[in-house]
Amino acid sequence: ETGVTQSPTHLIKTRGQQVTLRCSSQSGHNTVSWYQQALGQGPQFIFQYYREEENGRGNFPPRFSGLQFPNYSSELNVNALELDDSALYLCASSLGGTVSYNEQFFGPGTRLTVL
Amino acid sequence: GNSVTQMEGPVTLSEEAFLTINCTYTATGYPSLFWYVQYPGEGLQLLLKATKADDKGSNKGFEATYRKETTSFHLEKGSVQVSDSAVYFCALSDEGGAQKLVFGQGTRLTINP
């Protein structure tokens, strides 16, 4: 069984640019959540996709957007990058997007640096 | 809004010492509670969870009990090992709606031989 994978591992961008991060969910999982983890902090929920629809959003501006594909993989897009967007971006997959106690399986993350 | 407060770190202990990492939460309703662990260079892994009051989650010698009266979910282990060195995150998930995890700030644990 393949776990959650993310690409790329590391990324360096400059302010104002746009970035796309990718996530492949664990086999059989239909829900993908994205989190931002700033250095020394806990992860912050960005949004969740369940069966290709956005199923909840955290306190992030609209320049953070996403997609989920029919195979349940997902993309996170960030436009107009700001220095504060520098963080580790974590993807997590799970089953049944509305069941609060289901385990989320996390990928290793993409480290984004904005200069 | 919902929030999780964890014991400030870092925490340094000797091998075989007793571990407690405090976690308290603020939430409406009846959230599910989790402890996640992040080993160096690895992603977050679920350590244990509890879904209702008085439930005890346990795994790998770690335990935590869901205490609704004190809104707490403290992590304990009777005898820590060097391999337990990691960052530990307490988290909650609201009932219903999206599986949105709200995390504490994390506690870095270092175990010395």
Side-chain angles (χ1 to χ4, degrees):
Chain A
E1 182 179 88
T2 306
V4 178
T5 60
Q6 293 186 241
S7 63
T9 306
H10 296 88
L11 203 50
I12 299 175
K13 292 285 189 178
T14 56
R15 233 175 358 172
Q17 285 190 308
Q18 177 266 344
V19 69
T20 297
L21 311 182
R22 294 180 175 84
C23 171
S24 291
S25 58
Q26 188 163 310
S27 176
H29 286 179
N30 56 15
T31 304
V32 172
S33 304
W34 286 92
Y35 294 83
Q36 180 194 67
Q37 185 177 15
L39 200 60
Q41 301 296 316
Q44 300 280 322
F45 177 77
I46 302 174
F47 44 57
Q48 179 182 92
Y49 280 84
Y50 173 49
R51 294 181 176 176
E52 302 179 58
E53 299 283 333
E54 188 178 291
N55 184 43
R57 189 177 182 91
N59 190 26
F60 281 80
R63 60 190 184 84
F64 286 78
S65 63
L67 290 174
Q68 187 179 34
F69 299 100
N71 66 355
Y72 301 131
S73 66
S74 178
E75 285 182 356
L76 164 67
N77 299 290
V78 187
N79 293 322
L81 283 167
E82 300 177 0
L83 297 179
D84 283 350
D85 296 333
S86 295
L88 182 67
Y89 288 84
L90 298 169
C91 167
S93 77
S94 58
L95 278 171
T98 60
V99 180
S100 64
Y101 52 78
N102 279 357
E103 180 177 355
Q104 295 188 33
F105 293 80
F106 283 81
T110 294
R111 173 73 63 188
L112 173 64
T113 302
V114 182
L115 302 176
Chain B
N2 296 340
S3 66
V4 174
T5 302
Q6 274 183 247
M7 170 179 177
E8 292 277 336
V11 174
T12 302
L13 295 172
S14 298
E15 207 165 20
E16 300 183 3
F18 184 86
L19 169 71
T20 301
I21 300 178
N22 290 337
C23 171
T24 57
Y25 67 90
T26 302
T28 54
Y30 301 93
S32 295
L33 301 175
F34 305 83
W35 277 99
Y36 278 83
V37 59
Q38 191 169 37
Y39 296 105
E42 298 184 19
L44 285 165
Q45 300 174 27
L46 179 66
L47 181 59
L48 53 84
K49 70 178 184 183
T51 59
K52 61 183 187 297
D54 300 326
D55 263 4
K56 178 187 281 188
S58 61
N59 187 26
K60 298 181 182 180
F62 290 89
E63 293 183 338
T65 301
Y66 189 141
R67 301 285 188 201
K68 187 159 178 62
E69 64 277 12
T70 54
T71 61
S72 65
F73 193 55
H74 305 321
L75 182 68
E76 296 182 336
K77 187 175 185 182
S79 177
V80 292
Q81 305 300 313
V82 172
S83 57
D84 294 327
S85 298
V87 182
Y88 292 80
F89 292 93
C90 184
L92 67 80
S93 180
D94 276 339
E95 53 184 354
Q99 293 170 347
K100 171 185 172 182
L101 285 169
V102 176
F103 286 89
Q105 72 271 32
T107 301
R108 181 174 296 278
L109 174 67
T110 301
I111 307 300
N112 293 321

